[in-house]
PDB file of all heavy atoms in Angstrom:
ATOM      1  N   ALA A 245      -1.349  -0.019   4.081  1.00 91.00           N
ATOM      2  CA  ALA A 245      -0.639   0.877   5.008  1.00 91.00           C
ATOM      3  C   ALA A 245      -1.556   1.312   6.154  1.00 91.00           C
ATOM      4  O   ALA A 245      -1.164   1.263   7.326  1.00 91.00           O
ATOM      5  CB  ALA A 245      -0.100   2.092   4.267  1.00 91.00           C
ATOM      6  N   TYR A 246      -2.784   1.695   5.819  1.00 93.00           N
ATOM      7  CA  TYR A 246      -3.642   2.237   6.875  1.00 93.00           C
ATOM      8  C   TYR A 246      -4.081   1.150   7.860  1.00 93.00           C
ATOM      9  O   TYR A 246      -4.144   1.391   9.066  1.00 93.00           O
ATOM     10  CB  TYR A 246      -4.836   2.991   6.287  1.00 93.00           C
ATOM     11  CG  TYR A 246      -5.469   3.891   7.333  1.00 93.00           C
ATOM     12  CD1 TYR A 246      -4.702   4.844   8.009  1.00 93.00           C
ATOM     13  CD2 TYR A 246      -6.806   3.763   7.685  1.00 93.00           C
ATOM     14  CE1 TYR A 246      -5.243   5.651   8.999  1.00 93.00           C
ATOM     15  CE2 TYR A 246      -7.367   4.574   8.671  1.00 93.00           C
ATOM     16  CZ  TYR A 246      -6.581   5.504   9.331  1.00 93.00           C
ATOM     17  OH  TYR A 246      -7.122   6.302  10.307  1.00 93.00           O
ATOM     18  N   ALA A 247      -4.324  -0.049   7.342  1.00 94.00           N
ATOM     19  CA  ALA A 247      -4.702  -1.157   8.243  1.00 94.00           C
ATOM     20  C   ALA A 247      -3.546  -1.457   9.197  1.00 94.00           C
ATOM     21  O   ALA A 247      -3.751  -1.688  10.398  1.00 94.00           O
ATOM     22  CB  ALA A 247      -5.057  -2.393   7.428  1.00 94.00           C
ATOM     23  N   HIS A 248      -2.326  -1.427   8.669  1.00 95.00           N
ATOM     24  CA  HIS A 248      -1.161  -1.681   9.535  1.00 95.00           C
ATOM     25  C   HIS A 248      -0.995  -0.553  10.553  1.00 95.00           C
ATOM     26  O   HIS A 248      -0.633  -0.781  11.705  1.00 95.00           O
ATOM     27  CB  HIS A 248       0.113  -1.823   8.689  1.00 95.00           C
ATOM     28  CG  HIS A 248       0.125  -3.086   7.892  1.00 95.00           C
ATOM     29  ND1 HIS A 248       1.054  -3.360   6.926  1.00 95.00           N
ATOM     30  CD2 HIS A 248      -0.700  -4.164   7.915  1.00 95.00           C
ATOM     31  CE1 HIS A 248       0.818  -4.547   6.392  1.00 95.00           C
ATOM     32  NE2 HIS A 248      -0.260  -5.048   6.966  1.00 95.00           N
ATOM     33  N   TYR A 249      -1.274   0.658  10.117  1.00 97.00           N
ATOM     34  CA  TYR A 249      -1.198   1.808  11.035  1.00 97.00           C
ATOM     35  C   TYR A 249      -2.216   1.617  12.166  1.00 97.00           C
ATOM     36  O   TYR A 249      -1.883   1.757  13.350  1.00 97.00           O
ATOM     37  CB  TYR A 249      -1.473   3.112  10.265  1.00 97.00           C
ATOM     38  CG  TYR A 249      -1.700   4.287  11.183  1.00 97.00           C
ATOM     39  CD1 TYR A 249      -0.624   4.956  11.754  1.00 97.00           C
ATOM     40  CD2 TYR A 249      -2.991   4.701  11.521  1.00 97.00           C
ATOM     41  CE1 TYR A 249      -0.821   6.005  12.639  1.00 97.00           C
ATOM     42  CE2 TYR A 249      -3.199   5.757  12.400  1.00 97.00           C
ATOM     43  CZ  TYR A 249      -2.109   6.399  12.955  1.00 97.00           C
ATOM     44  OH  TYR A 249      -2.306   7.433  13.831  1.00 97.00           O
ATOM     45  N   GLU A 250      -3.452   1.288  11.805  1.00 97.00           N
ATOM     46  CA  GLU A 250      -4.506   1.122  12.826  1.00 97.00           C
ATOM     47  C   GLU A 250      -4.139   0.026  13.831  1.00 97.00           C
ATOM     48  O   GLU A 250      -4.376   0.165  15.028  1.00 97.00           O
ATOM     49  CB  GLU A 250      -5.837   0.776  12.158  1.00 97.00           C
ATOM     50  CG  GLU A 250      -6.472   1.963  11.464  1.00 97.00           C
ATOM     51  CD  GLU A 250      -7.794   1.605  10.780  1.00 97.00           C
ATOM     52  OE1 GLU A 250      -8.025   0.407  10.487  1.00 97.00           O
ATOM     53  OE2 GLU A 250      -8.577   2.510  10.525  1.00 97.00           O
ATOM     54  N   ALA A 251      -3.535  -1.048  13.319  1.00 97.00           N
ATOM     55  CA  ALA A 251      -3.147  -2.147  14.222  1.00 97.00           C
ATOM     56  C   ALA A 251      -2.063  -1.659  15.189  1.00 97.00           C
ATOM     57  O   ALA A 251      -2.085  -1.985  16.377  1.00 97.00           O
ATOM     58  CB  ALA A 251      -2.652  -3.349  13.407  1.00 97.00           C
ATOM     59  N   ALA A 252      -1.124  -0.864  14.673  1.00 97.00           N
ATOM     60  CA  ALA A 252      -0.044  -0.345  15.535  1.00 97.00           C
ATOM     61  C   ALA A 252      -0.624   0.599  16.587  1.00 97.00           C
ATOM     62  O   ALA A 252      -0.203   0.578  17.752  1.00 97.00           O
ATOM     63  CB  ALA A 252       1.013   0.360  14.687  1.00 97.00           C
ATOM     64  N   VAL A 253      -1.611   1.405  16.209  1.00 97.00           N
ATOM     65  CA  VAL A 253      -2.251   2.314  17.176  1.00 97.00           C
ATOM     66  C   VAL A 253      -2.939   1.489  18.256  1.00 97.00           C
ATOM     67  O   VAL A 253      -2.811   1.766  19.448  1.00 97.00           O
ATOM     68  CB  VAL A 253      -3.272   3.240  16.479  1.00 97.00           C
ATOM     69  CG1 VAL A 253      -4.160   3.944  17.496  1.00 97.00           C
ATOM     70  CG2 VAL A 253      -2.554   4.266  15.615  1.00 97.00           C
ATOM     71  N   GLN A 254      -3.644   0.454  17.833  1.00 96.00           N
ATOM     72  CA  GLN A 254      -4.361  -0.369  18.812  1.00 96.00           C
ATOM     73  C   GLN A 254      -3.394  -0.989  19.814  1.00 96.00           C
ATOM     74  O   GLN A 254      -3.667  -1.027  21.008  1.00 96.00           O
ATOM     75  CB  GLN A 254      -5.190  -1.455  18.097  1.00 96.00           C
ATOM     76  CG  GLN A 254      -6.189  -2.148  19.001  1.00 96.00           C
ATOM     77  CD  GLN A 254      -7.118  -1.172  19.768  1.00 96.00           C
ATOM     78  OE1 GLN A 254      -7.723  -0.276  19.174  1.00 96.00           O
ATOM     79  NE2 GLN A 254      -7.188  -1.305  21.095  1.00 96.00           N
ATOM     80  N   ARG A 255      -2.222  -1.406  19.313  1.00 95.00           N
ATOM     81  CA  ARG A 255      -1.225  -1.988  20.228  1.00 95.00           C
ATOM     82  C   ARG A 255      -0.784  -0.948  21.257  1.00 95.00           C
ATOM     83  O   ARG A 255      -0.665  -1.232  22.434  1.00 95.00           O
ATOM     84  CB  ARG A 255      -0.006  -2.500  19.440  1.00 95.00           C
ATOM     85  CG  ARG A 255      -0.245  -3.853  18.765  1.00 95.00           C
ATOM     86  CD  ARG A 255       1.065  -4.495  18.318  1.00 95.00           C
ATOM     87  NE  ARG A 255       1.761  -3.732  17.288  1.00 95.00           N
ATOM     88  CZ  ARG A 255       1.497  -3.790  15.987  1.00 95.00           C
ATOM     89  NH1 ARG A 255       0.545  -4.578  15.540  1.00 95.00           N
ATOM     90  NH2 ARG A 255       2.186  -3.077  15.124  1.00 95.00           N
ATOM     91  N   SER A 256      -0.584   0.293  20.797  1.00 94.00           N
ATOM     92  CA  SER A 256      -0.100   1.290  21.762  1.00 94.00           C
ATOM     93  C   SER A 256      -1.209   1.676  22.743  1.00 94.00           C
ATOM     94  O   SER A 256      -0.939   1.994  23.896  1.00 94.00           O
ATOM     95  CB  SER A 256       0.495   2.517  21.061  1.00 94.00           C
ATOM     96  OG  SER A 256      -0.512   3.252  20.445  1.00 94.00           O
ATOM     97  N   ILE A 257      -2.463   1.596  22.313  1.00 94.00           N
ATOM     98  CA  ILE A 257      -3.566   1.844  23.260  1.00 94.00           C
ATOM     99  C   ILE A 257      -3.561   0.744  24.321  1.00 94.00           C
ATOM    100  O   ILE A 257      -3.650   1.007  25.519  1.00 94.00           O
ATOM    101  CB  ILE A 257      -4.928   1.877  22.523  1.00 94.00           C
ATOM    102  CG1 ILE A 257      -5.035   3.143  21.671  1.00 94.00           C
ATOM    103  CG2 ILE A 257      -6.097   1.795  23.516  1.00 94.00           C
ATOM    104  CD1 ILE A 257      -6.270   3.219  20.814  1.00 94.00           C
ATOM    105  N   ASP A 258      -3.429  -0.494  23.865  1.00 93.00           N
ATOM    106  CA  ASP A 258      -3.452  -1.621  24.807  1.00 93.00           C
ATOM    107  C   ASP A 258      -2.297  -1.515  25.804  1.00 93.00           C
ATOM    108  O   ASP A 258      -2.478  -1.711  26.998  1.00 93.00           O
ATOM    109  CB  ASP A 258      -3.371  -2.962  24.050  1.00 93.00           C
ATOM    110  CG  ASP A 258      -4.605  -3.167  23.178  1.00 93.00           C
ATOM    111  OD1 ASP A 258      -5.618  -2.486  23.416  1.00 93.00           O
ATOM    112  OD2 ASP A 258      -4.538  -4.000  22.243  1.00 93.00           O
TER     113      ASP A 258
END
Side-chain angles (χ1 to χ4, degrees):
Y246 197 55
H248 290 171
Y249 168 81
E250 286 179 338
V253 167
Q254 193 52 50
R255 281 195 296 277
S256 70
I257 289 175
D258 295 342

